[in-house]
Amino acid sequence: MDVDKEKSNGLINLFSYSNLVHAVSGAAGSVIAISLFYPLDTVRTRLQVDDHRHAKNTFQVLKEIFKEEGLLGIYRGLDSMATTMFFSNFVYFYTYASLQYFHHSFIGDLTLSKNQPSPSMLLDLIIAFIAGVVNVFVTTPLWVVNTRLKLQGANLHTAAYKKKDLPVRGLNSQYKGIIDCILKIIHFEGVRKLWGGTVPSIILATNPAIQFMVYEALKRYFRKFLNVTELSGFMYFILGALAKAAATVITYPLQVIQSRLRAGFAKVEGSQTLKENIIHLVKTRGFGALYKGMEAKLLQTVLTAALMFLIYEKIAAVIFKLMGLEK
């Protein structure tokens, strides 16, 4: 009876202040971080999607965009990106924290019975991957909209993207914001288009999974090595950077395919499987196209992730301390 009551309370605790704190801290950290490093994300998207923009030094491309489009071009779509990042990371961190709580509450007894009380890298990977898949299904429409808004009005070097007879009529529409973009995509292209790039996105759930696995492993190692319960802000920054760098290098080609599918410019790519998309891109643009813009992506995601983890850990620590809860 007591066991049933404990499990019932455990289910209620999945919707606890603790999980909410993790979610809000992660979401706030991501918004602050992406706002600071957003110009690098602009460069990455342009290089991935704009076939005829030659891959140059990141800062040369940034200078080129500023010269052609002004400051607006560099920060185009920042409002939708901030909104998307907030909701995406809120869902991710909440799911991740809830799954960790579920494991410790309901599966912990099995772990303890095997004398393996400490969390493993494999467990971190599995929990982070599941959280990533949940995040993909919930927030992909926002990422599709974000990509469209980032490219709307951009000076693209690929001539075919400038034509008025684009493969999809809706791409000629001027989007007035997130809601307007969602409605126009549904009207002109169908609801399914809001989940464009879902297949590579699901596979790309391995990116944050690898990121969190490496981050948690490094965090546990250095806490034990330094014999401290809380690391410094600088250490959180470094560990976040290392974890994101590893995840980005491993999964980058899939991120290129994902961006192109979300942009929706090439009809042929939207009708192909993931494998066919990779082969098509290599045949038409060369093997280097799979890694086009990776320099900008590494700079942006590594710095953003590092700052996000730093802010997340510090915000969460302060809130937990004020609330008198354990982190």
Side-chain angles (χ1 to χ4, degrees), residues 17 22 74 90 107 120 175 207 234 292 302:
Y17 282 119
H22 283 293
I74 294 175
F90 183 92
I107 308 176
S120 67
Y175 305 125
N207 182 294
F234 177 73
K292 192 177 181 184
V302 168

Side-chain angles (χ1 to χ4, degrees), residues 129 132-133 136 197-210 251 254 258 274-275 278:
F129 179 74
V133 172
V136 165
T198 297
V199 174
S201 294
I202 290 174
I203 299 175
L204 274 171
T206 55
N207 182 294
I210 294 169
T251 62
L254 289 173
Q258 179 192 57
L274 176 61
K275 181 180 178 181
I278 293 174

Side-chain angles (χ1 to χ4, degrees), residues 46-47 49-56 60-61 63-69 151 154-163 265 285 292:
R46 298 293 183 88
L47 288 174
V49 173
D50 198 354
D51 292 327
H52 294 166
R53 185 182 291 275
H54 300 295
K56 304 174 184 176
Q60 286 182 328
V61 176
K63 182 180 178 181
E64 185 178 77
I65 295 173
F66 179 77
K67 184 178 179 180
E68 293 175 352
E69 306 171 41
L151 294 172
N155 184 21
L156 300 176
H157 290 195
T158 305
Y161 297 166
K162 299 178 182 180
K163 294 179 180 179
F265 285 129
R285 304 298 174 191
K292 192 177 181 184

Side-chain angles (χ1 to χ4, degrees), residues 269-290:
E269 292 180 356
S271 62
Q272 291 178 330
T273 64
L274 176 61
K275 181 180 178 181
E276 289 171 341
N277 265 297
I278 293 174
I279 294 173
H280 173 75
L281 187 59
V282 171
K283 282 184 176 180
T284 57
R285 304 298 174 191
F287 184 78
L290 292 175

Side-chain angles (χ1 to χ4, degrees), residues 33-258:
I34 193 62
S35 297
L36 186 59
F37 299 116
Y38 187 74
L40 294 172
D41 191 66
T42 298
V43 172
R44 184 267 308 175
T45 304
R46 298 293 183 88
L47 288 174
Q48 287 180 339
V49 173
D50 198 354
D51 292 327
H52 294 166
R53 185 182 291 275
H54 300 295
K56 304 174 184 176
N57 176 280
T58 298
F59 296 102
Q60 286 182 328
V61 176
L62 196 60
K63 182 180 178 181
E64 185 178 77
I65 295 173
F66 179 77
K67 184 178 179 180
E68 293 175 352
E69 306 171 41
L71 195 62
L72 175 62
I74 294 175
Y75 287 95
R76 191 186 307 277
L78 175 58
D79 54 343
S80 68
M81 171 61 93
T83 302
T84 301
M85 285 291 285
F86 183 88
F87 281 107
S88 180
N89 280 279
F90 183 92
V91 171
Y92 189 88
F93 275 88
Y94 195 97
T95 305
Y96 185 81
S98 297
L99 288 172
Q100 280 194 320
Y101 179 84
F102 179 83
H103 174 266
H104 293 319
S105 297
F106 302 109
I107 308 176
D109 291 340
L110 296 177
T111 305
L112 290 172
S113 65
K114 295 178 182 178
N115 297 316
Q116 294 177 340
S118 60
S120 67
M121 289 183 67
L122 179 60
L123 177 61
D124 288 331
L125 182 66
I126 293 171
I127 289 177
F129 179 74
I130 295 173
V133 172
V134 171
N135 185 40
V136 165
F137 282 110
V138 174
T139 66
T140 287
L142 286 174
W143 286 108
V144 171
V145 168
N146 173 251
T147 302
R148 299 290 182 90
L149 292 175
K150 283 167 68 176
L151 294 172
Q152 178 174 264
N155 184 21
L156 300 176
H157 290 195
T158 305
Y161 297 166
K162 299 178 182 180
K163 294 179 180 179
K164 293 183 178 181
D165 58 342
L166 283 169
V168 181
R169 269 191 309 151
L171 294 176
N172 296 316
S173 303
Q174 287 296 307
Y175 305 125
K176 298 175 183 177
I178 295 175
I179 302 299
D180 182 63
C181 186
I182 290 175
L183 294 176
K184 283 181 177 175
I185 289 174
I186 293 174
H187 177 72
F188 288 110
E189 306 170 53
V191 176
R192 289 182 60 184
K193 201 66 177 182
L194 286 174
W195 277 268
T198 297
V199 174
S201 294
I202 290 174
I203 299 175
L204 274 171
T206 55
N207 182 294
I210 294 169
Q211 175 187 348
F212 267 74
M213 178 188 71
V214 175
Y215 179 74
E216 292 293 340
L218 289 173
K219 191 166 69 172
R220 284 195 295 268
Y221 172 79
F222 280 102
R223 278 177 175 172
K224 185 177 180 181
F225 179 76
L226 299 173
N227 194 27
V228 295
T229 56
E230 190 72 22
L231 297 174
S232 67
F234 177 73
M235 281 300 298
Y236 283 130
F237 187 89
I238 296 299
L239 298 186
L242 291 173
K244 192 60 178 181
T248 299
V249 171
I250 292 171
T251 62
Y252 190 75
L254 289 173
Q255 295 182 42
V256 174
I257 300 298
Q258 179 192 57

